[in-house]
């Protein structure tokens, strides 16, 4: 079998990965409403695509035809860890500044500066270096490989730390709407971790095969399953605290899109009727989008309605409904045999922490203090 036949199938596989990477980036950038996370993911897909192009050039030995690009591929492995980490920061609501970007991508710039002399060589001289084996970093290769492995391990750990903190926050705030976000991020972290295991094993063919599988999976889960092409999740109104310790909504975001008091009242009446009759708040998986779908309004309009009428955001509104439900059922004689936590779950809460925090927030006392004031003894 000829070398060209031997390489043809893998090369097509890698080229397909390149195409999908760039195409996925274009799909993301084509969204009507793009978030910071969208831009980071789009850039990351481009970086992955370019990295795969370099591998195809070396795998098929086409780099001989493009000696002027030799050396540019060296720092690329150091980009993926930071891009994963920065993407997760954006996805979980944090906004890293320019300095954060510079710090995390500094190793890439340092590598380029360190090998700056190589880039001043003629194409023929660059080819000679690569033909001698070891490429641009013959003498420093071992140090670069160690740096790449450390970078991969470090950023996988940092990403896991961020997502775990976010998961705790989601649980405490009862933000069930973010389960897709969490699943999507776990897919990314797992994929990158598997690739770095291959890096540690020092098998280029395995590494880049996994990269192609990663980009295919990322495109599939990120676009068709996790919904990164859908409109971004509607953020709740920003809550500020005044000197009187009263939470007031930041309404400036609605000034240009206010639905009108008549529509607001209609939506609120419909929402109240559904809450009273169907007790939607008892669903621990309830979120803004699902309720908006049930009453056939845009999530922005629903969020605006609750903010305007109730002077609170969606999850504060729902949790208040759950507290009132708990206060109602805990007084029923037939429920004396149940524990406080079981009644909290029956009211719609999905964790003890969320229940206690919200109860104290709205009632200015703990659940047990409330029961004591009603002369009730429930475990």
């Amino acid at each position: 079998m000829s070398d060209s036949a031997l390489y043809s199938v893998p090369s097509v596989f890698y080229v397909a990965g390149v195409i999908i990477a760039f195409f996925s980036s274009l799909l993301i950038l084509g969204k009507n409403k793009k978030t910071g996370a969208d831009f980071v993911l789009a850039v990351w897909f481009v970086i992955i695509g370019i990295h795969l192009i370099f591998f195809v050039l070396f795998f098929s030995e086409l780099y001989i035809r493009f000696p002027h690009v030799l050396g540019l591929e060296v720092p690329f492995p150091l980009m993926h860890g930071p891009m994963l980490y920065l993407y997760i920061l954006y996805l979980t609501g944090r906004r890293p500044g320019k300095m954060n970007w510079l710090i995390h991508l500094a190793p890439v710039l340092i590598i380029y500066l360190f090998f700056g002399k190589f880039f001043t060589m003629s194409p023929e001289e660059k080819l000679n270096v690569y033909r001698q084996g070891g490429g641009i970093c013959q003498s420093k290769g071992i140090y670069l490989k160690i740096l790449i492995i450390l970078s991969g391990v470090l950023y996988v750990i940092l990403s896991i730390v961020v997502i775990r903190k976010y998961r705790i926050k989601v649980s405490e705030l009862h933000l069930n709407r973010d389960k897709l976000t969490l699943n999507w991020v776990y897919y990314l972290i797992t994929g990158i971790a598997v690739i770095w295991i291959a890096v540690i094993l020092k098998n280029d063919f395995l590494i880049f095969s996994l990269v192609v599988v990663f980009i295919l999976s990322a495109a599939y889960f990120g676009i068709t399953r996790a919904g990164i092409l859908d409109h971004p999740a509607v953020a709740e109104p920003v809550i500020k605290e005044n000197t009187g310790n009263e939470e007031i909504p930041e309404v400036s975001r609605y000034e240009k899109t206010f639905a009108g008091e008549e529509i607001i009242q209609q939506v609120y009446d419909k929402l109240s009727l559904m809450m009273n009759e169907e007790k939607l708040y008892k669903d621990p998986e309830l979120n803004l989008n699902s309720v908006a779908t049930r009453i056939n309004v845009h999530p922005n309009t629903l969020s605006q309605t609750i903010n305007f009428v109730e002077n609170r955001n969606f999850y504060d509104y729902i949790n208040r409904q759950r507290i009132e439900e708990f206060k109602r059922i805990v007084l029923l004689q037939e429920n004396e045999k149940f524990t406080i936590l079981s009644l909290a779950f029956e009211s719609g809460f999905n964790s003890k922490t969320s229940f206690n925090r919200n109860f104290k927030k709205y009632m200015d006392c703990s659940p047990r203090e409330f029961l004591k004031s009603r002369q009730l003894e429930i475990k």
Side-chain angles (χ1 to χ4, degrees), residues 36-274:
D38 291 326
F39 283 110
V40 175
L41 187 60
V43 171
W44 189 18
F45 277 174
V46 170
I47 291 173
I48 293 175
I50 295 174
H51 199 178
L52 279 172
I53 288 175
F54 281 126
F55 182 71
V56 170
L57 290 178
F58 289 102
F59 185 80
S60 59
E61 298 186 354
L62 287 174
Y63 71 91
I64 298 175
R65 301 181 185 178
F66 306 97
H68 51 284
V69 302
L70 292 177
L72 294 177
E73 80 286 351
V74 173
F76 266 72
L78 295 173
M79 297 183 188
H80 303 302
M83 293 305 296
L84 169 69
Y85 178 67
L86 291 168
Y87 174 65
I88 290 176
L89 288 182
Y90 274 100
L91 203 62
T92 54
R94 298 168 65 178
R95 296 291 183 271
K98 294 180 180 179
M99 185 57 65
N100 293 92
W101 278 83
L102 183 60
I103 291 173
H104 291 290
L105 295 177
V108 176
L109 301 176
I110 292 173
I111 293 298
Y112 277 128
L113 291 175
F114 186 79
F115 293 105
K117 185 178 179 180
F118 176 85
F119 297 111
T120 63
M121 294 181 179
S122 66
E124 291 75 16
E125 290 174 321
K126 291 181 179 179
L127 279 175
N128 287 334
V129 171
Y130 271 75
R131 283 169 175 165
Q132 291 173 7
I136 187 176
C137 47
Q138 296 179 58
S139 59
K140 305 293 190 299
I142 183 63
Y143 302 110
L144 183 60
K145 288 179 180 178
I146 292 174
L147 180 61
I148 290 171
I149 292 172
L150 290 178
S151 173
V153 174
L154 172 65
Y155 281 104
V156 166
I157 293 174
L158 288 176
S159 299
I160 292 174
V161 170
V162 170
I163 201 60
R164 282 187 174 177
K165 288 182 178 179
Y166 181 67
R167 187 175 186 177
I168 293 173
K169 179 181 177 182
V170 165
S171 175
E172 290 179 347
L173 296 179
H174 210 66
L175 299 179
N176 295 296
R177 64 189 171 94
D178 286 319
K179 279 193 173 181
L180 269 179
T181 297
L182 291 171
N183 290 339
W184 162 235
V185 171
Y186 284 132
Y187 293 144
L188 287 180
I189 295 176
T190 301
I192 289 295
V194 171
I195 290 173
W196 245 268
I197 291 174
V199 170
I200 294 173
L201 296 176
K202 300 179 181 179
N203 188 318
D204 287 343
F205 180 81
L206 178 61
I207 293 169
F208 286 93
S209 295
L210 288 173
V211 168
V212 174
V213 173
F214 173 78
I215 195 64
L216 288 169
S217 301
Y220 175 71
F221 286 108
I223 295 176
T224 65
R225 293 290 295 277
I228 62 176
L229 288 184
D230 297 338
H231 293 302
V234 180
E236 292 299 322
V238 177
I239 301 297
K240 293 185 177 180
E241 192 170 295
N242 63 14
T243 54
N245 294 324
E246 296 178 352
E247 290 183 332
I248 57 175
E250 181 69 52
V251 298
S252 61
R253 70 189 287 263
Y254 295 131
E255 289 178 355
K256 296 182 180 180
T257 60
F258 185 63
E261 290 190 22
E262 184 177 351
I263 294 177
I264 289 292
Q265 191 59 51
Q266 291 175 359
V267 173
Y268 185 74
D269 290 342
K270 196 172 183 179
L271 174 66
S272 299
L273 181 63
M274 188 166 291

